[in-house]
Amino acid sequence: MLHRGFFAHAAVLGEGTTDGALLEGCAERNGVNLGAEGITFVDVTGRDNLLLSHAIRSAMGVPRHVIFDGDAGLEERKRGSVRHLDGENRRDKEAAFEQQARKISGSNADLLGYLGESRSPWPATGSASMYTVCEDNLDTSLGEAWPSWGERKQQLIDAGEGVSDKNAATYREVARTADGIRRACFRRCWRTSGGWFADTWAHPASGPVAGAQGALHWLRCAE
């Protein structure tokens, strides 16, 4: 089980619980217990808390990796939700959506700049030593990179074993049991050693390797 706390070999910081559930499910499908290996997932309850949470753990010397959503498609989705409205009401809501998008783009740039990366307001999906980002959001990335994700989630919902909203237990079970993740963004090897995370594609023959100062976690899956 993933723990939430300060004291660990390494911390993965995410905006919400579903990020950690996804990682835990991917690890469990290959017999890796992240908590037992010293990897703590920390739900910081929102993007605005990521930078401060990272800074605190940095000051404590805790190896850390940030997972966040770029939310590139959020404004368009919200605009679509009010297209049935007329006149001033619609314009007011669209103005609020535009303001929110500007805030998000600034937050993205600030976080990436703090992490020593280029200050991109709308980063593409990718992973670097200090962070992993989804261009839009986690669900969009999973839907594009892991086609069987949605199918397995719906199977669990239909069977009464899952729920349709962003539920950590459902995400964990889908990640643990869905068919192959050949192209999934989170099919990574994250190594915690000397205070940094390195991501690389995992080979299906690999397994977890623990070291004195960290752990090598192969979040691998069937081809």
Side-chain angles (χ1 to χ4, degrees), residues 22-203:
L22 172 65
L23 293 176
E24 185 176 38
C26 287
E28 285 182 351
R29 71 189 289 147
N30 294 287
V32 178
N33 185 312
L34 297 183
E37 297 292 347
I39 301 294
T40 295
F41 178 77
V42 182
D43 169 15
V44 305
T45 65
R47 68 161 55 240
D48 292 340
N49 299 321
L50 283 169
L51 197 154
L52 178 59
S53 297
H54 187 283
I56 291 172
R57 286 160 181 82
S58 177
M60 296 174 67
V62 176
R64 58 233 165 261
H65 190 93
V66 175
I67 300 175
F68 70 101
D69 295 336
D71 285 328
L74 181 62
E75 181 181 4
E76 183 58 32
R77 283 193 297 274
K78 289 199 169 187
R79 285 179 177 271
S81 71
V82 299
R83 282 177 184 151
H84 64 287
L85 300 178
D86 295 319
E88 186 175 352
N89 190 16
R90 175 176 172 178
R91 288 194 295 272
D92 287 346
K93 289 184 179 296
E94 288 179 336
F97 299 155
E98 184 178 354
Q99 182 178 13
Q100 182 183 21
R102 285 198 299 269
K103 180 180 178 181
I104 290 172
S105 67
S107 175
N108 288 339
D110 289 344
L111 180 58
L112 288 171
Y114 164 78
L115 295 174
E117 302 289 337
S118 175
R119 291 177 52 87
S120 173
W122 301 112
T125 296
S127 195
S129 61
M130 297 296 288
Y131 72 93
T132 293
V133 59
C134 296
E135 180 175 350
D136 190 358
N137 57 41
L138 178 61
D139 291 274
T140 299
S141 293
L142 288 170
E144 293 173 351
W146 194 350
S148 60
W149 171 272
E151 297 172 7
R152 179 56 179 153
K153 183 179 179 182
Q154 191 59 50
Q155 288 175 355
L156 292 174
I157 294 170
D158 293 343
E161 299 174 357
V163 294
S164 58
D165 61 1
K166 298 190 71 170
N167 176 268
T170 301
Y171 276 58
R172 174 178 167 181
E173 183 62 13
V174 176
R176 192 181 68 83
T177 60
D179 290 337
I181 52 177
R182 176 188 292 269
R183 295 167 49 216
C185 173
F186 285 90
R187 178 172 165 258
R188 305 289 189 185
C189 159
W190 281 349
R191 184 176 66 185
T192 61
S193 177
W196 57 275
F197 283 74
D199 78 285
T200 185
W201 293 107
H203 189 280

